[in-house]
Structure formats: C-alpha cells, structure tokens
C-alpha cells in the first residue's frame, strides 16, 4: 500500500469510495510480494499486484467490490489453465484481498498515512477469512492500537504478534481461533507492516561509496555515508545519501542505532579506520557487515581483529572481501555485487545463474 498511499489518501480525503486490492499471500514464482497493492476508482488504477500478469482481472473485481460493498479474497493461478486465463504465465499463485475503502470503512487511513510519512512504525491487521468479520481492521503502533477485529481476546493476541512483526518489518498472514487462540487456525489475519526503511551505513568517502549509496537508495535503504575527512565527506559528493556524517567511523557507529535490518559497508580500506570500526560493527546486531579489500588485506584484518579480542563467532560474521563474485571492476559494478550479496542473504538465494538451476525461481523466505 505504501506505493499507492499518496493517491488513495487523496481519494479518501475527498470522500470517494475506491477498491483496494492487496497481495496477502504468494506461492511459487509469484511476481510481487505480500503487501503489493493496486487501487481502483472508476476508470483509474494505481499500483500493481502482479507486475502486469493479473491486473486486468483484479481491476474488474475491484470495481465489482466497490459496487457490492463486500470484500473478496481471490486466488489467481490455482492451475496452469487459470494462470493463463488471467495472464499469470509465471506459474505462481497469488491470494489477493480486494476491499472497498472510504472514510466510513477505513476511518484510520489518515492516521496510518501520517505515521508512514513520519516514518513512525505502524501496521494494519485485517481479517481475511474465517468466522470473524471479514474486512475488520485493527491499526497497531508500538505503543497503542485502534479499531477492533471483533473480539477483545483476538485483538490482544494480534497486538502482541503484530508488534513483534513490526519490529522486524515483516508482512504476512497470521492464523488464530475465533477468540484469538494461537493453537487454532480457522481465522486468517493479514498484517501489513509499515516500518521505517532499513539503514545502510557506508563508511569511507570514496567513489565506491558514492556508487554503493546510489544502489542502496534504489533498494529502499536509508543511506548514511560517514568519514572523518571533511574535505571528502560532503553532500555534493553523495547526493543520494540521506545523511552525510563527518566523524570518526567507529565513534559514529557507537553512537547510532543498529538493528537486525542494518547493513554496514566498510569501504575505508585503511587499518586505522576499518579495524576500530569493525571491532564495533561485529559486536552489533547488524544483519550484514561487509568490508572491502583483497584477500591478503582480509587475512591481515582478521589477525588484527583477533588481537583486539574478537572471537571466532564474531569474525565469521564478516563478509570480506565484500560482495558476490561477479567479476566487478568499476565502482558501479562493485556496488551491484554488494547489492547482490545483500539480496542473496535476505532471501536465501544460491548466487548461481538461474539458467543453471531447475524448479521454481523464488524461495519461501529469508535466508541467513
């Protein structure tokens, strides 16, 4: 919904009723992830649920839902025949929830949009199927909730689970009993998390850092470039970065927030910078810590870090030399190899050419 938020907010503010279609579950080689949305008002459509595969069918269903006022959970691609009949030729399966949205049906949309714009974590939990009120919605923030799924015990169970998902930026379906029992699964709730973007911390104000910042921004990261040398560390040199910090790298890392979604890219290539920095980085919960350098530099760096007191488990977290082996030479190519490694770790890919494999292309979820 984030991709269409500005448009649907305008429709909502003017009192329109529109159809909102959201991917809530995927199987096999589905082209778009849960949370992808398309909004429909009359002849207008914004967003995409399948990259073009089933847009026509979803568009027609959204118009029907606006007319009937009843939400619908629709599966596309149940069989190969069905897939081709609506254009889902990739062979994937999509569950799409289509609902009518207006100020009356979704009074909290304004508050959700305001939180997203402020980068305040917020999640929307919606009943998809089962004995509950289909389309019932609950909005969950880290410190409060609004709306109801119909049963207090269900609200309480969902609040607990959603806050855990929100902390990790997870979107997906959770199943409960009609009164919130976690051991039962007859009621499905879709949780769409709007967490602030993950952070990419790029250390070293060099041309490689500029390329990494561009790619990081493209992947959706909040990018910070940090270096101790003010002459090189300027916003003019790094226009794609959200923040440009002049500070000793290890001092900055010690003072900033790092979580499991943070990617740390050490491009300083200088022991006086990168060894103190990596001493801090490898003791944080960052999901990715990579460092540029040759294999010889890497071995020297490991020896220095070991002498500084880091253990084997901490040293094994270091991705160095940084990136996947793509044969990269230029800063831009190196940035792509780093991005490829980040994507591989996120989704558990092999890193091999797809032409060398067989079976479905997309895995079930995150990797390491």
């Amino acid at each position: 919904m984030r991709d269409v938020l500005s448009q649907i907010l305008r429709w909502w503010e003017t009192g329109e009723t529109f159809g909102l279609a959201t991917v809530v579950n995927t199987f096999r080689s589905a082209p778009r992830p849960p949370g992808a949305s398309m909004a429909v008002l009359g002849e207008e459509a914004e967003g995409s649920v399948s990259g073009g595969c089933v847009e026509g069918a979803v568009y027609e269903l959204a118009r029907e839902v606006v007319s009937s006022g009843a939400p619908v959970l629709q599966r596309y691609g149940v069989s190969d025949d069905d897939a081709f009949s609506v254009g889902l030729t990739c062979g994937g399966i999509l569950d799409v929830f289509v609902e009518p949205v207006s100020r009356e049906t979704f009074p909290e949309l304004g508050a959700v949009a305001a939180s997203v714009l402020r980068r305040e974590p917020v999640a929307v939990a919606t009943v998809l199927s089962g004995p509950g009120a289909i389309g019932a919605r609950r909005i969950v923030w880290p410190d409060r909730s609004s709306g109801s799924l119909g049963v207090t015990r269900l609200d309480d169970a969902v609040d607990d689970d959603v806050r855990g998902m929100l902390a990790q930026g997870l979107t997906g379906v959770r199943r409960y009993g009609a009164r919130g029992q976690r051991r039962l699964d007859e009621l499905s709730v879709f949780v769409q998390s709007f967490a602030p973007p993950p952070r990419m911390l790029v250390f070293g104000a060099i041309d490689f850092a500029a390329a990494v910042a561009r790619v990081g921004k493209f992947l959706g990261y909040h990018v910070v470039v940090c270096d101790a040398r003010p002459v090189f560390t300027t916003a003019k040199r790094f226009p794609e970065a959200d923040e440009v910090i002049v500070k000793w790298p290890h001092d900055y890392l010690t003072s900033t927030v790092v979580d499991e979604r943070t990617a740390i890219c050490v491009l300083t290539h200088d022991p006086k910078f990168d060894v103190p920095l990596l001493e801090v980085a490898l003791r944080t919960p960052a999901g990715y810590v990579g460092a540029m350098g040759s294999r010889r530099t890497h071995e020297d760096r490991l020896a220095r870090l070991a002498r500084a007191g880091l253990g084997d488990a901490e040293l094994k977290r270091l991705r160095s030399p940084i990136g996947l082996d793509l044969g990269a030479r230029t800063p831009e190519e190196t940035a792509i190899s780093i991005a490829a490694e980040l994507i591989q770790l996120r989704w558990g890919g092999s890193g091999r050419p797809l032409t060398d494999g067989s079976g479905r292309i997309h895995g079930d979820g995150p990797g390491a």
Side-chain angles (χ1 to χ4, degrees), residues 45-62:
E46 293 282 338
S48 171
V49 294
S50 68
C53 294
V54 301
E55 257 62 11
V58 174
Y59 169 78
E60 295 298 337
L61 180 57

Side-chain angles (χ1 to χ4, degrees), residues 12 15-18 100-109:
W12 181 85
E16 300 282 4
T17 298
F18 54 91
V101 174
S102 66
R103 295 182 74 96
E104 291 71 33
T105 64
F106 196 166
E108 305 93 348
L109 180 59

Side-chain angles (χ1 to χ4, degrees), residues 268-354:
T268 46
H269 206 269
D270 183 335
K272 72 174 178 289
F273 286 113
D274 59 20
V275 171
L277 173 59
L278 288 169
E279 284 186 58
V280 178
L282 293 172
R283 288 170 171 151
T284 70
Y288 178 89
V289 181
M292 179 177 284
S294 66
R295 298 193 188 281
R296 186 173 182 176
T297 297
H298 174 61
E299 293 302 321
D300 176 70
R301 186 185 287 138
L302 288 181
R304 291 171 182 265
L305 290 169
R307 288 196 296 271
L310 274 74
D312 289 344
E314 292 166 326
L315 295 176
K316 286 179 180 177
R317 297 184 57 212
L318 179 60
R319 314 289 296 193
S320 178
I322 196 171
L324 291 189
D325 182 6
L326 305 181
R329 295 291 190 274
T330 68
E332 291 75 18
E333 290 172 346
T334 301
I336 294 298
S337 78
I338 295 170
E341 186 171 46
L342 286 167
I343 295 168
Q344 180 198 28
L345 290 174
R346 178 183 296 176
W347 298 111
S350 68
R352 297 191 302 270
L354 291 172

Side-chain angles (χ1 to χ4, degrees), residues 1-3 5 22-24 33-37 106 112-113 115-117 119-126 137-142 158-174 176 189-198 261:
M1 190 168 69
R2 189 190 299 268
D3 293 342
L5 188 58
T22 304
V23 177
V24 296
S37 297
F106 196 166
V112 171
S115 291
V116 172
L117 291 174
R119 295 188 173 182
E120 176 187 23
V122 61
V124 180
T126 307
R137 192 181 291 107
R138 187 164 175 83
I139 316 303
V140 181
W141 289 267
V158 168
D159 284 0
D160 288 343
D161 291 347
V162 168
R163 288 192 174 110
M165 296 175 69
L166 194 55
Q168 301 176 63
L170 298 178
T171 287
V173 175
R174 292 292 181 268
Y176 306 89
V189 176
F190 176 64
V191 179
Q192 186 165 14
S193 293
F194 299 93
R261 299 190 302 149

Side-chain angles (χ1 to χ4, degrees), residues 82-108:
D82 291 336
F84 277 94
S85 70
V86 297
L88 196 61
T89 54
C90 62
I93 298 173
L94 298 175
D95 285 344
V96 180
F97 187 70
V98 188
E99 57 186 322
V101 174
S102 66
R103 295 182 74 96
E104 291 71 33
T105 64
F106 196 166
E108 305 93 348

